[in-house]
Amino acid sequence: MAHRTSFRESVEKMFNHAAGLMDLSPGLEEKIRVCNSTYTVRFGVRLRGQIHTFTGYRSVHSEHMEPVKGGIRYSLDVNQDEVEALAALMTYKCALVEVPFGGSKGGLCIDPRAWNEDELERITRRFTYELSRRNLISPSQNVPAPDMGTGEREMAWMADAYKRLHPDDINAKACVTGKPKTAGGIDGRVEATGRGVQYALREFFRHDDVMKRANLEGTLSGKRVIVQGLGNVGYHAAQFLSAEDKCLVTCVIERDGAILNPQGINIDALRGHIRATGGVKGFAGGDYHENGLAMLEQECDILIPAAVESVINSDNADRIKTKLIIEAANGPVTADADAILRSKGIVIIPDMYANAGGVTVSYFEWVKNLSQISLGRLERRHEEARARMLVEELERLSADTGLNWTLSKGFKEGFLTGADELELVRSGLDDTMRESFMKMKEVWMNNARVDDMRTAAYVVSIRRISNVYNSLGL
Ligand code: NAD
């Protein structure tokens, strides 16, 4: 059987391709590429009357900025190669969207569905202890976040376990992000990655020249979308795109098969069905197909892989019939598939940009924890008071001059309401996605040797990392 490029090989190939187009000083390319360290921890937890041994990893790809940052994944497929590839992507992602972190990633080989909540809590707390002993969780050194199989609940357990181990650390809460609001989280973090996917697509559709490269025109409204994986990232992306941008989500692919409906699937109803039954089968709002993977090959305008890596590979790339792929998951397209898709004229918005919403809002949460105050708390009412002064002055002038203008109710309400935490988070995320897109676009459009957005993203990111190394004198 022909060798299929692994996730890690794909990341290295893509990195090497971009680095080869740049004039990096000798040895710097390798320094940026290699993963600095990976710890494997094995620990036992007594559960169900016996000791169970679990294997976990935490990889630190680059410490050119600290703390290093990256999610923790719970899955039986977790392995060292995967964790290292994900850590490398975190380094490049953070540099691309200008969040001041190095890259890291962690994982625990576990099927989270095989354990009850109490058991998962004990396992997570024990894993946190192992990480803390090695400085692999700390507000100043290494800050995990949720990833596949983990969420707010696990982050709250980790934060609490860390706090118990470090009761005198006033910044203890900042040891992880993606926590629930009651445990030091920030509004808008749960949906941040899906929201970032939506903002990335909105930005893409603002540029006629990039749309043309994907043979797309018009707006997002009415575009046919296929989503693979209706978890945290996929659900929020699908929900926002259908409810707010009027996209038609014509197919959702999950572990147990796919649901198709050319009129558009009701995402909230499908999510409810998955929660109730554990899968998409039996959902009344569309046709069920058992072979989910084959449904990636259905015709659509935008394909959103939001589940696992390497799902689009040299076996199926030739049969993919979309115009645009936005990589909500990390590494869903292998390097071989990437070349095939490009030759077919399919444009790919790369993972390191497309799913950067999560780490961006994690950054806001970390800053909030360190500053010990919620975003907007100091300025919100002041902002409202100044807006009110302006409105009252306009109304007075209008009455005094006999013009008798009346400001519409909607305008007045909007203008007189100061931004709360959620609005500030969305504003910061939108700004990040738009600015980073412009940087990638500039390199993509103005450099004849850069013929795709992924290479452009790598070039922007590698340039920034090399600038840091050069200024450090390394
Ligand atoms: P999740 O566990 O919440 O959801 C994953 C979903 O994919 C689940 O619904 C699962 O049933 C489904 N799935 C798993 N294997 C599948 C398969 N083979 N075919 C179809 N569906 C499958 O995970 P998530 O947090 O949404 O992460 C999804 C992807 O996004 C991962 O690649 C992750 O690294 C990436 N990501 C997540 C975040 C975040 O903030 N959570 C941030 C950046 C990137």
Side-chain angles (χ1 to χ4, degrees), residues 345-420:
I346 297 174
V347 169
I348 302 170
I349 304 181
D351 46 8
M352 82 167 83
Y353 166 71
N355 66 36
V359 74
T360 302
V361 178
S362 275
Y363 168 45
F364 303 155
E365 180 179 332
W366 181 76
V367 169
K368 171 184 172 176
N369 292 156
L370 294 185
S371 59
Q372 314 277 355
I373 189 164
S374 60
L375 269 61
R377 181 164 173 187
L378 291 179
E379 54 275 49
R380 183 172 176 197
R381 302 300 172 197
H382 178 67
E383 205 185 289
E384 283 181 5
R386 287 177 68 87
R388 185 167 299 282
M389 271 172 69
L390 183 64
V391 164
E392 285 172 358
E393 189 65 3
L394 274 176
E395 286 177 338
R396 190 190 61 75
L397 278 172
S398 151
D400 286 358
T401 53
L403 287 169
N404 290 324
W405 289 338
T406 44
L407 299 172
S408 72
K409 194 166 172 276
F411 170 81
K412 252 173 99 167
E413 271 173 14
F415 192 65
L416 290 176
T417 310
D420 61 12

Side-chain angles (χ1 to χ4, degrees), residues 73 86 90 93 105 113 146-150 189-190 192-194 228-235 253-257 271 274 293 305-309 311 328-332 355-359:
R73 180 175 282 199
L86 288 164
M90 280 307 296
K93 188 181 302 183
K105 201 80 182 191
R113 291 168 305 176
D147 194 72
M148 256 177 66
T150 58
R189 173 60 184 92
V190 174
T193 311
Q228 184 195 34
L230 209 65
N232 180 326
V233 179
Y235 161 71
I253 305 163
E254 257 293 331
R255 290 176 202 265
D256 66 327
R271 168 91 148 182
I274 296 173
L293 203 56
V308 286
E309 51 263 18
V311 289
N330 283 307
N355 66 36
V359 74

